[in-house]
Amino acid sequence: NFMLTQPHSVSESPGKTVTISCTRSSGSIASNYVQWYQQRPGSAPTTVIYEDNERPSGVPDRFSGSIDSSSNSASLTISGLKTEDEADYYCQSYDSSNLWVFGGGTKLTVL
Amino acid sequence: EVQLVESGGGLVQPGGSLRVSCAASRFTFSSYSMNWVRQAPGKGLEWVSYISTSSSNIYYADSVKGRFTISRDNAKNSLSLQMNSLRAEDTAVYYCVRYSYDQHLFDYWGQGILVTVSS
């Protein structure tokens, strides 16, 4: 069984860059793709990154994803922060034993 | 635009049963695997169950295995989740979610339906 661990919260000022980490507890982060979902209050999640670093159409290029095998973690980076980016962000991955696993979520505050 | 509309939520007593459904439209429902994902109040997302296009592959999270049953009707473009032996910890918003195998992601989500388990 594996877990995905995210920081509970992060905060940054408008115009700055923030990075949210997602660390896999066991097994290689590179063994299965990582997705990132944004959830604004009262709304369903939407995808901002899939397959580690791909952006769905309509997601601005201020959003980027990466994985780092040395730390066994994935990262979501948001540059040029806007107040509209304030939301909860969840990482998600998969393996054949645990099936689909979500991280605990990170609350991003843009202040 | 893809539409997924959940229904059937509400208040149920511990130990009781409830069935939530999802009406899918504006895409070829029979071509996509589907899932249920839930979110307890103020908590994170939890994957609950998966069903393949022809219902030949079905998976459950350990937390609901043996109590919940997922099913689909491709002729009616509908997905269901039968929930039995409900517990307080099953209280959550339940989302109907389409799965894109090509892109390995949950690509479309319904608006969610609240299920409350309480006496």
Side-chain angles (χ1 to χ4, degrees), chain B residues 41-74:
Chain B
K43 302 297 185 183
L45 301 171
E46 179 188 16
W47 170 77
V48 172
S49 184
Y50 162 96
I51 187 167
S52 62
T53 55
S54 62
S55 305
S56 57
N57 292 302
I58 288 175
Y59 306 113
Y60 299 98
D62 287 345
S63 57
V64 307
K65 201 173 294 182
R67 301 186 298 121
F68 290 12
T69 302
I70 191 172
S71 61
R72 65 188 296 162
D73 184 336
N74 287 340

Side-chain angles (χ1 to χ4, degrees), chain B residues 55-112:
Chain B
S55 305
S56 57
N57 292 302
I58 288 175
Y59 306 113
Y60 299 98
D62 287 345
S63 57
V64 307
K65 201 173 294 182
R67 301 186 298 121
F68 290 12
T69 302
I70 191 172
S71 61
R72 65 188 296 162
D73 184 336
N74 287 340
K76 296 182 178 179
N77 293 339
S78 70
L79 176 74
S80 295
L81 185 69
Q82 175 67 41
M83 301 181 288
N84 298 331
S85 302
L86 282 161
R87 306 166 180 167
E89 54 264 36
D90 295 317
T91 295
V93 172
Y94 284 73
Y95 292 100
C96 169
V97 189
R98 193 179 85 168
Y99 188 69
S100 168
Y101 248 107
D102 290 345
Q103 296 177 315
H104 305 92
L105 83 153
F106 300 111
D107 63 352
Y108 284 95
W109 299 61
Q111 85 285 355

Side-chain angles (χ1 to χ4, degrees), chain A residues 30-100:
Chain A
S31 62
N32 302 96
Y33 286 119
V34 175
Q35 281 63 240
W36 290 91
Y37 302 90
Q38 176 193 69
Q39 186 179 35
R40 295 192 174 102
S43 296
T46 60
T47 309
V48 291
I49 293 289
Y50 67 98
E51 291 183 347
D52 297 338
N53 55 19
E54 299 292 328
R55 276 188 315 277
S57 59
V59 174
D61 60 6
R62 301 185 296 107
F63 289 80
S64 63
S66 64
I67 62 168
D68 179 357
S69 295
S70 65
S71 59
N72 212 35
S73 64
S75 294
L76 172 69
T77 299
I78 310 171
S79 60
L81 275 169
K82 301 183 177 184
T83 55
E84 68 204 47
D85 298 330
E86 191 162 286
D88 293 328
Y89 291 85
Y90 295 90
C91 60
Q92 173 262 312
S93 192
Y94 167 92
D95 84 354
S96 58
S97 298
N98 291 71
L99 301 173
W100 292 269

